[in-house]
Amino acid sequence: EDKVVQSPLSLVVHEGDTVTLNCSYEVTNFRSLLWYKQEKKAPTFLFMLTSSGIEKKSGRLSSILDKKELSSILNITATQTGDSAIYLCAVLGAQKLVFGQGTRLTINP
Amino acid sequence: EAQVTQNPRYLITVTGKKLTVTCSQNMNHEYMSWYRQDPGLGLRQIYYSMNVEVTDKGDVPEGYKVSRKEKRNFPLILESPSPNQTSLYFCASSFADLSYEQYFGPGTRLTVT
């Protein structure tokens, strides 16, 4: 059965810290891995990583795909209170998108 | 503004009373999907539609129906809601299929008593 596991499930840090969120997967016929940020309600798209694009960066956020280890990390540097959210990892296989449970990140001032 | 809208945003209902949650997108997207989100389980796909009149089951379709008569609308129907369908529901759309970025609606919080 296809599976996506995120860790940690919850993380509390101070503003300015750097955090690393993890996502590991077992999905048949891997096509891409996606990261979403969910603040109040709807998830918003952050990155899509594929075999041809294993590293993405946008401002203080960056993500790397390790196809050998079947995993990905999402790094956030110099965290701000506005980074507080649930971060979702999802993996697209042959026909479907499988989501992880999410990591709840809290940034304290 | 490009967006996915859902209505209602909040709904409390009783077991067995049929309800419909509407979803509409204004981006001319081909692909639309419904998810439910439950604590500790992440987002799970209920149904999806690749195009008008084409729908298929996702991971958790039991107790739900959908229709896609027009490209922009994809309503979710609960014919006889039960308490285990209490959840947060999201509609999403993408340009063609899941290899493209999905845009999510604001969510519908449903409580079935």
Coordinates of all heavy atoms in Angstrom, one line a residue, chain B residues 13 36-39 64 78 82-89 109-113:
Chain B
T13 N -25.4 19.1 10.6 CA -26.6 18.5 10.1 C -26.9 17.2 10.9 O -26.1 16.9 11.8 CB -26.5 18.1 8.6 OG1 -27.8 17.6 8.1 CG2 -25.5 17.0 8.4
R36 N -11.1 14.8 1.9 CA -11.4 15.0 3.3 C -10.2 15.0 4.2 O -9.2 14.3 3.9 CB -12.5 14.0 3.8 CG -12.1 12.6 3.8 CD -13.1 11.7 4.4 NE -13.3 11.8 5.8 CZ -14.2 11.2 6.6 NH1 -15.2 10.5 6.0 NH2 -14.3 11.4 7.9
Q37 N -10.2 15.8 5.2 CA -9.0 15.9 6.1 C -9.4 15.6 7.5 O -10.3 16.3 8.1 CB -8.4 17.3 6.0 CG -7.1 17.4 6.8 CD -6.4 18.7 6.6 OE1 -7.0 19.8 6.4 NE2 -5.0 18.7 6.6
D38 N -8.8 14.6 8.1 CA -9.1 14.2 9.4 C -7.8 14.2 10.2 O -6.7 13.8 9.7 CB -9.7 12.8 9.4 CG -11.0 12.7 8.6 OD1 -12.0 13.3 9.1 OD2 -11.0 12.1 7.5
P39 N -7.9 14.5 11.5 CA -6.6 14.5 12.4 C -5.9 13.2 12.3 O -6.4 12.2 12.4 CB -7.2 14.8 13.8 CG -8.5 15.5 13.5 CD -9.1 14.9 12.3
Y64 N -20.4 8.8 -0.6 CA -20.4 10.0 -1.3 C -20.8 9.8 -2.8 O -20.6 8.7 -3.3 CB -19.0 10.6 -1.3 CG -18.4 10.9 0.1 CD1 -17.6 9.9 0.7 CD2 -18.7 12.0 0.8 CE1 -17.1 10.1 2.0 CE2 -18.2 12.2 2.1 CZ -17.4 11.3 2.6 OH -16.9 11.5 3.9
L78 N -23.8 14.0 -0.2 CA -23.9 12.9 0.8 C -25.4 12.6 0.9 O -26.2 13.3 1.4 CB -23.4 13.5 2.1 CG -21.9 13.6 2.3 CD1 -21.3 14.7 1.5 CD2 -21.5 13.7 3.7
S82 N -23.6 10.2 7.8 CA -23.4 9.6 9.1 C -22.4 10.3 9.9 O -21.5 11.0 9.3 CB -23.1 8.1 8.9 OG -21.8 8.0 8.2
P83 N -22.3 10.1 11.2 CA -21.4 10.8 12.0 C -19.9 10.6 11.6 O -19.1 11.5 11.8 CB -21.6 10.2 13.4 CG -23.1 9.9 13.4 CD -23.3 9.4 12.0
N84 N -19.6 9.4 11.0 CA -18.2 9.2 10.6 C -17.8 10.0 9.3 O -16.7 10.0 8.9 CB -17.9 7.7 10.4 CG -18.7 7.1 9.2 OD1 -19.3 7.8 8.4 ND2 -18.6 5.8 9.1
Q85 N -18.8 10.8 8.8 CA -18.4 11.7 7.7 C -18.2 13.1 8.2 O -18.0 14.1 7.4 CB -19.6 11.7 6.7 CG -19.6 10.4 5.9 CD -20.7 10.3 4.9 OE1 -21.9 10.4 5.3 NE2 -20.4 10.1 3.7
T86 N -18.2 13.3 9.5 CA -17.8 14.6 10.1 C -16.4 14.8 9.8 O -15.5 14.0 10.1 CB -18.0 14.5 11.7 OG1 -19.4 14.5 11.9 CG2 -17.4 15.7 12.3
S87 N -16.1 15.9 9.2 CA -14.7 16.1 8.7 C -14.6 17.5 8.1 O -15.5 18.2 8.0 CB -14.4 15.0 7.6 OG -13.0 15.1 7.2
L88 N -13.4 17.8 7.6 CA -13.1 19.0 6.9 C -12.9 18.6 5.4 O -12.1 17.8 5.1 CB -11.8 19.7 7.4 CG -11.4 21.0 6.7 CD1 -12.5 22.1 6.8 CD2 -10.1 21.5 7.4
Y89 N -13.7 19.2 4.5 CA -13.7 18.8 3.1 C -13.1 19.9 2.3 O -13.4 21.1 2.4 CB -15.1 18.5 2.7 CG -15.7 17.3 3.3 CD1 -16.4 17.3 4.5 CD2 -15.6 16.1 2.6 CE1 -16.9 16.2 5.1 CE2 -16.1 14.9 3.2 CZ -16.8 15.0 4.4 OH -17.3 13.9 5.0
R109 N -16.4 22.8 6.7 CA -16.4 22.0 8.0 C -17.7 21.4 8.2 O -18.7 22.2 8.4 CB -16.0 22.9 9.1 CG -16.2 22.3 10.5 CD -15.0 21.4 10.9 NE -13.7 22.1 11.0 CZ -12.6 21.4 11.2 NH1 -12.6 20.1 11.3 NH2 -11.5 22.1 11.3
L110 N -17.8 20.1 8.1 CA -19.1 19.4 8.2 C -19.2 18.6 9.5 O -18.2 17.9 9.8 CB -19.3 18.4 7.1 CG -20.5 17.5 7.1 CD1 -21.8 18.3 7.1 CD2 -20.5 16.5 6.0
T111 N -20.3 18.8 10.3 CA -20.5 18.0 11.5 C -21.8 17.3 11.3 O -22.9 17.9 11.0 CB -20.6 18.9 12.7 OG1 -19.3 19.6 12.8 CG2 -20.8 18.1 14.0
V112 N -21.8 16.0 11.5 CA -23.0 15.2 11.4 C -23.3 14.6 12.8 O -22.5 13.9 13.3 CB -22.9 14.0 10.4 CG1 -24.2 13.3 10.2 CG2 -22.4 14.6 9.0
T113 N -24.5 14.9 13.3 CA -24.8 14.5 14.7 C -25.8 13.3 14.6 O -26.5 13.1 13.6 CB -25.4 15.6 15.5 OG1 -26.6 16.1 14.8 CG2 -24.4 16.8 15.6

